[in-house]
């Protein structure tokens, strides 16, 4: 059915162009504009079937097309003019309502991804992104419930397990957090932030040697990441290995300067 609608759309555009009238050719141009600017989204496979920010260029063609139609309709007289004004009023109300509704959805990250989840509950990155914003807002219970729902659909996604580990850590449930980090590590052992967070968790559990081991793995994966070096330095200091700690702190400062991480530079200084 969608193919038939598209075919009919193209036939109408060609017909308007072939009429020879200037206004019809203008309408035909913006109808074709709308389709051509949507072609990259139609042809190239995307992770998201619908994503409104990819339609800005094509919506320009639609807006101009609609403006031309309204300009032509408003040139009517008598009862047809009243009908035109009525149609214009309905469009204004509909588009104004739609704008207000979308602005509410785009108010912040939580409202945006909650709205996205309602529309596409089988998109894995929605669960990840929503849980990240819920974590930032410290709504840990809602973040946990969101991740549980996501993991029921995608039990082998390391990011969801990693985020759930972060939630449990913030809630003080350290055993559950470690369990989730270990699952995330098994699914993606080459991700340095998993090992880094495991190190932080081991320090909270006063397991300094295990923390140093976790940080060492993180450094092997990302040797130029300043904050991992800094965390290692603090763990070595806690273990009484002061010389090694100072050496790691120097490395942390070097990489912090290279990456212009001013916040970490101030912390080290």
């Amino acid at each position: 059915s969608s193919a038939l609608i598209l075919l009919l759309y193209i036939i109408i555009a060609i017909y308007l162009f072939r009429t020879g009238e200037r206004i019809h050719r203008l309408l035909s141009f913006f109808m074709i504009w709308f389709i051509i600017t949507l072609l990259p989204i139609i042809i190239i496979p995307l992770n998201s079937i619908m994503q409104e920010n990819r339609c800005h260029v094509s919506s320009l063609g639609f807006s101009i097309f609609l403006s031309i139609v309204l300009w032509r309709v408003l040139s009517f007289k008598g009862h047809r003019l009243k009908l035109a004004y009525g149609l214009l009023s309905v469009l204004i109300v509909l588009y104004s309502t739609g704008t207000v509704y979308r602005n509410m959805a785009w108010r912040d990250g939580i409202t945006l991804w909650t709205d996205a989840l309602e529309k596409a509950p089988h998109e894995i990155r929605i669960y990840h992104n929503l849980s990240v914003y819920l974590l930032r807002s410290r709504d840990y219970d809602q973040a946990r419930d969101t991740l549980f729902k996501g993991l029921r659909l995608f039990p082998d996604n390391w990011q969801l397990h990693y985020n759930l580990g972060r939630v449990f850590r913030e809630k003080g449930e350290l055993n559950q957090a470690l369990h989730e980090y270990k699952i995330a590590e098994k699914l993606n052992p080459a991700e340095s932030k998993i090992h880094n967070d495991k190190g932080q968790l081991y320090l909270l559990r006063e397991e300094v040697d295990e923390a140093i081991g976790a940080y060492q793995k993180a450094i092997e994966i990302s040797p130029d990441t300043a904050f991992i070096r800094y965390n290692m330095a603090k763990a070595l200091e806690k273990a009484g290995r002061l010389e090694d700690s100072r050496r790691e702190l120097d490395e942390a400062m070097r990489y912090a300067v290279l990456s212009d991480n001013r916040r970490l530079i101030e912390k080290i200084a």
Side-chain angles (χ1 to χ4, degrees), residues 194-207:
I194 299 173
H195 300 289
N196 178 72
D197 281 30
K198 276 184 66 182
Q200 291 177 306
L201 186 62
Y202 281 128
L203 282 182
L204 290 174
R205 289 160 56 103
E206 300 295 329
E207 299 174 14

Side-chain angles (χ1 to χ4, degrees), residues 18 31 41 130 156 158 184 190 195 202 207 211 230 251 265:
R18 290 175 63 87
M31 288 178 71
I41 303 174
L130 179 56
D156 295 327
W158 73 268
H195 300 289
Y202 281 128
E207 299 174 14
Y230 176 77
E251 287 294 293
I265 292 171

Side-chain angles (χ1 to χ4, degrees), residues 52 97-119 130 133:
E52 58 191 303
T97 302
T99 299
V100 171
Y101 173 74
R102 294 310 301 160
N103 283 341
M104 291 173 62
W106 282 82
R107 184 180 62 196
D108 56 43
I110 294 176
T111 56
L112 175 63
W113 290 108
T114 299
D115 178 75
L117 185 60
E118 292 174 357
K119 292 179 171 63
L130 179 56
Y133 279 102

Side-chain angles (χ1 to χ4, degrees), residues 227-246:
F227 71 85
I228 297 178
R229 294 278 188 175
Y230 176 77
N231 290 339
M232 172 65 101
K234 302 305 287 185
L236 290 168
E237 182 183 17
K238 198 166 187 178
R241 297 166 56 181
L242 302 184
E243 190 65 31
D244 292 335
S245 176
R246 281 192 290 270

Side-chain angles (χ1 to χ4, degrees), residues 133-191:
Y133 279 102
L134 289 168
L135 267 164
R136 290 177 185 174
S137 68
R138 299 185 180 182
D139 191 348
Y140 302 128
D141 290 337
Q142 189 62 40
R144 178 198 58 202
D145 294 343
T146 298
L147 290 165
F148 279 159
K149 291 177 183 177
L151 285 168
R152 281 197 290 269
L153 296 172
F154 310 101
D156 295 327
N157 182 266
W158 73 268
Q159 286 184 313
L160 299 185
H161 284 288
Y162 170 74
N163 288 352
L164 187 56
R166 292 176 60 197
V167 170
F168 282 132
R169 188 187 70 190
E170 295 296 337
K171 287 171 65 66
E173 300 174 14
L174 303 186
N175 290 335
Q176 293 93 322
L178 183 58
H179 175 70
E180 294 299 328
Y181 284 150
K182 285 181 177 179
I183 295 175
E185 179 185 1
K186 184 178 180 181
L187 293 169
N188 187 11
E191 179 54 59

